[in-house]
């Protein structure tokens, strides 16, 4: 009897691979077909809202990939030696405020940036709304204004435009929410108001704080006799004391030396503060005060200035 020498090689299992399914037929769907599919099973009482949502979505996609109407501004008023001016951008070719404001951005930036020096900017978006009586089917129209806050621009508007746009849309949405079944019918126009102003400069102590600010006990009004108010105010803020905080003391003069003041001009303009920030790696916020409205407004936010220069 013959005995085999050695053992047969061990079997190695292989992974099962299921057969690939046959390729599916491809087809390109149009916006109309997709829209019909979207709303075909939607209840009638909310079909209009779904249709509006589809239209807005379509316009937003087209704003990214499609060609939009050209926007162009017109100067409609100018006064006080051209220090105050208003431009109008027609929006009648647009059906969606978001798309219109995005398309108008470059034109708004051009308007604002062409005005030399510091300025205050204010946007107003005008839209027409419509609602329909469920019984009589009669339509009623009204006008709504979406307003931004007033922004003080000392460099350029690019960093502020998104905030202004969102405030405009928020204002418009608030009107629709508080109304009764109002729907957007069309965009009419965007008004851009620009007012030139002289930004605050740090200077010596001249007058006391306005009463509304003085009463808050939250602001130190340095009593210096030179034009280096910026230097003394910043140093005091970084080295607080409990008594006589507004005085330029011998100790404060020594504390000033801890910081780099090279190439800083006095009195210091708001637009030049970033130089000190970069040298000392410290951010500074600057606010103005409108005595007519009794409100503070932003002149500069330290973090935004740093981001702008990166």
């Amino acid at each position: 009897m013959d005995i085999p020498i050695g053992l047969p090689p061990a079997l190695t299992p292989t992974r099962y691979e299921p057969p690939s399914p046959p390729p599916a037929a491809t087809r390109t769907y149009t916006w109309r077909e997709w829209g019909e599919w979207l709303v075909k099973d939607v209840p009638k009482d909310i079909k209009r809202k779904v249709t509006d949502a589809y239209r807005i979505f379509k316009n937003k996609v087209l704003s990214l990939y499609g060609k939009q109407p050209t926007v162009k501004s017109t100067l409609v008023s100018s006064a006080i030696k051209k220090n105050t001016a208003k431009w109008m951008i027609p929006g009648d070719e647009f059906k969606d405020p978001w798309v219109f404001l995005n398309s108008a951005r470059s034109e708004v930036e051009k308007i604002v940036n062409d005005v030399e020096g510091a300025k205050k900017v204010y946007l107003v978006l005008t839209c027409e709304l419509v609602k329909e009586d469920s019984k009589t089917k009669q339509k009623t129209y009204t006008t709504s204004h979406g307003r931004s806050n007033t922004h003080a621009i000392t460099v350029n508007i690019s960093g502020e435009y998104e905030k202004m746009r969102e405030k405009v849309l928020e204002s418009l949405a608030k009107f629709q929410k508080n109304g009764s079944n109002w729907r957007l019918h069309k965009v009419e126009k965007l008004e851009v108001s620009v007012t030139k102003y002289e930004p605050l400069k740090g200077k010596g102590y001249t007058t006391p704080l306005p009463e509304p600010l003085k009463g808050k006990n939250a602001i130190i009004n340095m009593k210096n006799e030179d034009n280096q108010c910026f230097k003394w105010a910043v140093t005091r803020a970084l080295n607080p004391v409990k008594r006589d905080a507004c005085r330029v003391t011998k100790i404060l003069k020594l504390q000033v030396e801890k910081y780099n003041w090279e190439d800083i001009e006095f009195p210091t303009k708001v637009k030049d503060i970033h130089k000190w920030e970069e040298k000392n790696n410290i951010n500074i916020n600057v606010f103005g005060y409108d005595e007519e409205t009794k409100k503070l407004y932003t002149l500069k936010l330290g973090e935004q200035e740093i981001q702008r220069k990166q």
Side-chain angles (χ1 to χ4, degrees):
M1 179 177 180
D2 295 332
I3 299 176
I5 300 174
L7 297 174
L11 297 177
T12 302
T14 58
R15 184 176 180 178
Y16 172 74
E17 297 289 347
S20 301
T26 59
R27 181 185 174 192
T28 301
Y29 290 88
T30 65
W31 282 107
R32 183 181 297 277
E33 289 174 316
W34 187 81
E36 291 175 353
W37 167 81
L38 179 68
V39 301
K40 67 179 181 179
D41 295 323
V42 176
K44 290 184 178 180
D45 57 335
I46 63 171
K47 181 170 291 188
R48 179 174 296 161
K49 295 181 180 179
V50 174
T51 303
D52 288 345
Y54 158 72
R55 176 181 53 78
I56 293 173
F57 174 73
K58 171 185 173 181
N59 288 337
K60 288 184 178 180
V61 172
L62 289 177
S63 72
L64 298 175
Y65 300 101
K67 184 177 180 181
Q68 291 297 317
T70 302
V71 296
K72 188 174 182 180
S73 61
T74 302
L75 180 64
V76 294
S77 65
S78 179
I80 316 177
K81 297 182 180 180
K82 297 185 178 180
N83 286 335
T84 300
K86 180 185 290 185
W87 284 262
M88 187 271 289
I89 302 176
D92 48 0
E93 294 189 48
F94 293 83
K95 299 297 183 182
D96 180 73
W98 188 90
V99 175
F100 174 53
L101 290 175
N102 275 2
S103 299
R105 176 170 185 161
S106 59
E107 187 69 12
V108 173
E109 290 182 349
K110 182 179 183 301
I111 290 172
V112 176
N113 294 336
D114 282 350
V115 178
E116 296 182 357
K119 50 262 179 179
K120 295 180 182 179
V121 183
Y122 180 64
L123 304 181
V124 179
L125 175 68
T126 303
C127 296
E128 186 178 72
L129 305 181
V130 62
K131 66 178 179 180
E132 184 179 286
D133 188 283
S134 58
K135 296 181 179 179
T136 65
K137 303 301 180 182
Q138 182 178 358
K139 293 183 178 180
T140 304
Y141 297 87
T142 189
T143 300
S144 175
H145 302 283
R147 307 176 189 275
S148 74
N149 293 327
T150 300
H151 284 239
I153 309 297
T154 56
V155 183
N156 60 62
I157 194 177
S158 59
E160 299 293 321
Y161 184 79
E162 290 184 3
K163 297 178 183 178
M164 301 180 77
R165 179 195 64 191
E166 294 308 312
K167 183 62 178 178
V168 166
L169 294 175
E170 177 186 331
S171 176
L172 184 63
K174 185 176 181 180
F175 178 87
Q176 290 182 267
K177 183 178 180 180
N178 293 338
S180 178
N181 298 321
W182 287 109
R183 295 183 297 108
L184 179 71
H185 181 244
K186 66 177 181 179
V187 178
E188 292 189 353
K189 62 182 178 180
L190 176 67
E191 293 176 311
V192 184
S193 298
V194 182
T195 302
K196 296 183 66 175
Y197 79 103
E198 184 67 25
L200 297 177
K201 295 181 180 179
K203 56 183 180 180
Y205 176 85
T206 54
T207 57
L209 292 171
E211 286 300 323
L213 299 182
K214 184 178 180 180
K216 294 183 180 296
N217 296 320
I219 300 175
I220 298 174
N221 192 14
M222 298 302 298
K223 296 182 178 180
N224 55 297
E225 297 179 355
D226 53 24
N227 285 329
Q228 300 183 30
C229 185
F230 172 70
K231 176 190 287 187
W232 306 122
V234 169
T235 305
R236 174 58 74 214
L238 297 172
N239 300 272
V241 293
K242 293 183 179 180
R243 296 181 57 185
D244 298 326
C246 60
R247 290 179 54 197
V248 179
T249 62
K250 293 181 179 180
I251 295 178
L252 186 65
K253 292 179 180 179
L254 293 175
Q255 292 169 332
V256 161
E257 302 303 321
K258 296 190 297 184
Y259 311 104
N260 187 346
W261 304 95
E262 184 180 359
D263 298 328
I264 304 300
E265 296 183 0
F266 300 101
T268 307
K269 297 180 179 179
V270 174
K271 68 177 183 178
D272 293 332
I273 292 178
H274 72 89
K275 299 177 183 178
W276 188 90
E277 289 178 315
E278 293 169 353
K279 294 177 184 295
N280 296 276
N281 195 28
I282 298 174
N283 290 336
I284 295 177
N285 299 334
V286 183
F287 299 90
Y289 178 72
D290 192 322
E291 294 192 9
E292 293 183 3
T293 62
K294 309 297 182 185
K295 292 183 178 180
L296 294 173
Y297 57 89
T298 303
L299 282 169
K300 175 191 172 300
L301 292 179
E303 292 183 358
Q304 290 183 0
E305 287 289 315
I306 295 299
Q307 292 173 2
R308 176 180 62 83
K309 295 184 175 297
Q310 288 179 347

